[in-house]
Amino acid sequence: MEEIKFNQIGVSFKGSGSYVPDQILTNQKISKKVDTSDEWIKSRTGISERRISNIDENVSDMGYKAALTAIEMANWDIETIDLIVLATSTPNDLFGSAPSIQAKLGAANAVAFDLTAACSGFLFALITASQFLKGGSFKRAIVIGADQLSSFVDWNDRRSCILFGDGAGALAIESTSEFDNLIGFDMSTDGERGSFLNLPSKNNKDSIIDNIDFLIGGFSPIKMNGQEVYKFAVREVPIMLDNLFRKTNFNSDQVDWLVLHQANQRILDSVGERLKIPREKILTNLEKYGNTSAATIPLMMDEAIRNNRIKQNDIIATSGFGAGLSWGAAIIKWG
Ligand code: UT7
């Protein structure tokens, strides 16, 4: 890493972007595969359809497209980008997928790496990138959330396959010496409860030679205890956001938008209720995309920015939560 170049105190938000594959999987279509119905899925989750990557498309492709649209909104020269952080749990290369996004962008002056924290990944990545910016090491960063859970879902398990979809979102952030629009943040993990949601390795054994065995690389499909994850989310997210409001001298009345990880409409409604944030301030697009893991928060923000709902200087309370178990939250001023 280079020496400290800038005397910076904060972060400003310069652009957003997103990408979803064009293949649509509706509830009706899923109900031809497993014993479920459009009515059940809609009433229990709020989801109507989700996107599935085409077979020639991976996390790097989706992340690249989301990043490019964020860079265009920020109106940056590609060469001025210092840092690319990709939040993903489904990399197309286990050694890291972010450098291939760097290559596709032609961002020759950036360093790029992956970060894994499931559905909290985007917020963890945003907070990580902002520390480099506030520390003065880097000036411009692209933070991407991209996941292709369709490759790891058990499409015969009706308790989980109805929830997930593929997509990507990105934000362009820049350091500044005048203000800090990442007003506050918090992060937490609890590995003791990790078994509630897993994408575990397969642990199939083979032998190299004589008595020397090895584990073949590979993963089992997603395993989820939906009820426990639900209870965890509706309990921990309001506590974390409430504490964050207190720490940053905000109250929930000052929030223009609540942008939660798009897991289940009932979770969003319950968190909003507990925080006394009215429904019209809770942004939701999970009806169209389902749960796209690390992508949900930037995908939602990008949609709301582009259709002029989120405006300059709006206050956004945001939280991601999921496997780990992990959860994180931030108060942001857009702009
Ligand atoms: O990023 C985090 C990712 N994970 C989550 O966000 C998961 C959070 N949890 C949830 O969203 C909900 O727990 C689910 C949507 C997964 C499940 O909803 P639920 O209201 O908690 O349902 P349940 O698990 O209590 O199941 C109720 C019934 C069961 O039948 P019985 O035992 O009462 O006869 C299930 O077998 O619904 C049945 N069921 C289904 N029926 C039709 C479970 N899945 C389905 C289905 N279609 N897809």
Side-chain angles (χ1 to χ4, degrees), residues 32-302:
K32 289 185 187 151
K33 169 93 181 149
V34 291
D35 181 15
T36 189
S37 65
D38 180 44
E39 199 280 324
W40 193 96
I41 301 171
K42 250 194 223 152
S43 63
R44 299 281 179 132
T45 70
I47 299 165
S48 292
E49 57 190 45
R50 68 287 292 143
R51 301 300 176 101
I52 306 294
S53 308
N54 296 301
I55 50 163
D56 58 353
E57 206 170 30
N58 62 33
V59 154
S60 291
D61 299 321
M62 295 195 292
Y64 158 70
K65 287 176 183 163
L68 194 61
T69 52
I71 294 164
E72 280 163 6
M73 188 188 286
N75 202 14
W76 287 350
D77 284 340
I78 299 280
E79 300 77 47
T80 64
I81 298 164
D82 302 303
L83 174 66
I84 298 167
V85 186
L86 168 67
T88 187
S89 304
T90 52
N92 47 291
D93 185 338
L94 274 186
F95 287 159
S97 300
S100 70
I101 296 179
Q102 174 201 9
K104 285 185 221 283
L105 288 169
N109 297 318
V111 59
F113 60 86
D114 294 14
L115 182 154
T116 300
C119 303
S120 310
F122 181 78
L123 270 187
F124 282 24
L126 179 67
I127 293 160
T128 301
S130 75
Q131 301 312 299
F132 284 107
L133 267 48
K134 288 186 199 187
S137 305
F138 298 130
K139 182 139 184 72
R140 288 182 165 173
I142 298 292
V143 185
I144 306 164
D147 265 310
Q148 190 168 6
L149 286 184
S150 64
S151 302
F152 297 96
V153 162
D154 178 351
W155 288 106
N156 293 307
D157 178 9
R158 69 172 184 173
R159 291 163 304 153
S160 61
C161 75
I162 52 152
L163 293 177
F164 300 108
D166 301 334
L171 295 183
I173 62 174
E174 185 171 70
S175 65
T176 162
S177 55
E178 286 148 41
F179 53 82
D180 191 5
N181 280 350
L182 180 60
I183 294 164
F185 66 83
D186 201 356
M187 302 154 83
S188 201
T189 56
D190 178 6
E192 295 288 343
R193 290 185 276 174
S195 61
F196 293 159
L197 184 51
N198 286 122
L199 207 174
S201 58
K202 257 192 193 136
N203 292 340
N204 283 347
K205 203 176 75 167
D206 201 348
S207 184
I208 302 172
I209 190 166
D210 298 336
N211 295 325
I212 303 191
D213 294 339
F214 74 101
L215 289 176
I216 303 166
F219 295 88
S220 299
I222 294 171
K223 278 204 215 94
M224 185 181 76
N225 181 332
Q227 287 188 0
E228 288 297 342
V229 177
Y230 189 101
K231 281 191 274 183
F232 143 73
V234 298
R235 181 185 146 76
E236 302 292 359
V237 172
I239 292 174
M240 183 176 269
L241 274 170
D242 212 28
N243 287 338
L244 197 50
F245 288 142
R246 231 168 291 137
K247 241 172 36 189
T248 53
N249 292 321
F250 266 83
N251 65 57
S252 58
D253 294 348
Q254 293 166 280
V255 169
D256 295 299
W257 305 108
L258 182 62
V259 180
L260 297 177
H261 167 52
Q262 306 281 302
N264 182 321
Q265 188 60 46
R266 285 155 56 216
I267 295 178
L268 272 56
D269 293 342
S270 166
V271 171
E273 231 167 76
R274 284 175 198 213
L275 292 170
K276 300 192 170 50
I277 295 178
R279 256 195 125 163
E280 59 274 15
K281 291 186 173 183
I282 305 174
L283 293 179
T284 164
N285 64 2
L286 53 67
E287 189 185 4
K288 292 183 288 182
Y289 306 126
N291 178 346
T292 55
S293 193
T296 62
I297 290 174
L299 186 58
M300 183 68 254
M301 284 182 66
D302 185 48

